[in-house]
Amino acid sequence: MSQVKELPFAALQFYATAPYACSYLPGRQARSQVAAPGHLINADTYSQLVDEGFRRSGLFTYRPHCDDCQACIPVRVAANAFEPTRTHKRILKRHQNLRPLVAKLAWSQEHYALYTRYQAARHAGGGMDEDNQAQYGQFLLASRVNTRLVEFRDEDGRLCMVSIIDVLEQGLSSVYTFYDPELAGSLGTYGILWQIQQCRQLKLQWLYLGYWIEKSVKMAYKSKFKPAEYRFRGAWHQQPPPSTEAF
């Protein structure tokens, strides 16, 4: 690795946030480790950080840093080795009429309307369903790295799904996907399958799915894409830990 790439990474500082209520495990307190200053985190540096288990929310790059819990396990799918199940094949066939289009990472009333419908249906009471336009923009439209916004429309031009994806040196990072909650057929799963296909086309090794949490129903879907690797104890492993409560 060249010295030019090493210098920004070496200059970063890491600090822990104050405790806050965990979004995934009721009754628990969470903390995050944040990388700063943000202006030094370019595409190359961010690729390194993702490989160390970091994610981003807008301009903030973080990873879980909880005092008494290590339940959040980074997970990445081996794109080239991935074999779709029968269910995956049915989902791909069901949505083969959708047309992806890379759009600008910019404000769109159409996108925001879809986002609010999705949040109201899927995450009611979790806080994100109350996001206003400014919060939406800070969460999904602010980026200093190589980010793509992909629309998925049906044959009539109706917007069905939007995916925000970061392009890394070694793979793609699935930032967030939202879709029409009234449409049946596992659109979220289809979005991941499409991103795996994109990794293959771009000759990228990994699709990073963020954090898998063993006891969170919301995160259970991430364990259905195999083969995958899980990061704990400072390294990537081909199997998750026997129990996330045990280390």
Side-chain angles (χ1 to χ4, degrees):
M1 183 175 297
S2 68
Q3 188 177 6
V4 174
K5 292 184 180 179
E6 288 175 354
L7 282 175
F9 192 72
L12 292 178
Q13 296 181 342
F14 302 89
Y15 65 90
T17 66
Y20 54 90
C22 178
S23 302
Y24 299 103
L25 299 177
R28 298 201 187 188
Q29 291 288 295
R31 279 156 60 97
S32 295
Q33 184 183 50
V34 180
H39 70 271
L40 291 183
I41 303 176
N42 56 26
D44 292 340
T45 304
Y46 184 62
S47 291
Q48 297 177 58
L49 288 169
V50 171
D51 215 40
E52 294 289 330
F54 281 81
R55 297 279 288 168
R56 72 173 184 87
S57 176
L59 300 180
F60 293 93
T61 302
Y62 71 95
R63 65 181 175 186
H65 190 68
C66 304
D67 296 326
D68 301 310
C69 178
Q70 298 184 60
C72 293
I73 306 295
V75 59
R76 63 186 186 184
V77 180
N80 290 330
F82 173 75
E83 291 290 342
T85 64
R86 289 183 179 179
T87 298
H88 291 154
K89 291 177 181 178
R90 285 197 296 268
I91 292 171
L92 286 168
K93 184 177 181 180
R94 184 179 297 135
H95 297 298
Q96 62 184 345
N97 66 314
L98 292 182
R99 298 293 178 260
L101 174 66
V102 177
K104 290 183 178 180
L105 192 68
W107 167 259
S108 163
Q109 180 61 45
E110 185 183 24
H111 295 168
Y112 180 65
L114 181 64
Y115 175 82
T116 55
R117 293 203 310 273
Y118 173 81
Q119 293 296 342
R122 299 287 176 168
H123 300 291
M128 293 182 71
D129 58 313
E130 300 175 359
D131 282 2
N132 57 34
Q133 295 182 17
Q135 291 168 323
Y136 166 82
Q138 292 167 4
F139 172 42
L140 292 179
L141 304 182
S143 173
R144 292 191 180 97
V145 300
N146 189 357
T147 303
R148 298 287 184 271
L149 185 153
V150 185
E151 300 177 344
F152 295 83
R153 296 182 181 271
D154 64 16
E155 295 170 331
D156 297 323
R158 179 176 57 167
L159 181 67
C160 299
M161 182 168 67
V162 172
S163 290
I164 311 295
I165 305 165
D166 289 337
V167 183
L168 312 174
E169 289 184 344
Q170 70 279 19
L172 298 178
S173 176
S174 184
V175 178
Y176 201 73
T177 293
F178 54 94
Y179 50 86
D180 189 336
E182 296 182 1
L183 294 179
S186 303
L187 270 172
T189 297
Y190 172 76
I192 294 175
L193 295 170
W194 184 86
Q195 291 175 42
I196 291 173
Q197 292 176 339
Q198 286 297 293
C199 285
R200 290 179 169 180
Q201 291 182 18
L202 296 171
K203 301 187 185 306
L204 296 171
Q205 185 175 7
W206 304 105
L207 175 62
Y208 291 82
L209 292 180
Y211 303 114
W212 169 74
I213 302 173
E214 183 181 19
K215 294 187 177 181
S216 171
V217 175
K218 293 180 180 179
M219 296 296 187
Y221 71 94
K222 296 183 181 183
S223 64
K224 297 180 181 179
F225 301 89
K226 301 180 184 299
E229 290 191 355
Y230 303 81
R231 185 175 176 83
F232 55 96
R233 297 194 181 99
W236 290 97
H237 303 265
Q238 294 183 350
Q239 298 293 332
S243 172
T244 55
E245 302 290 341
F247 69 100

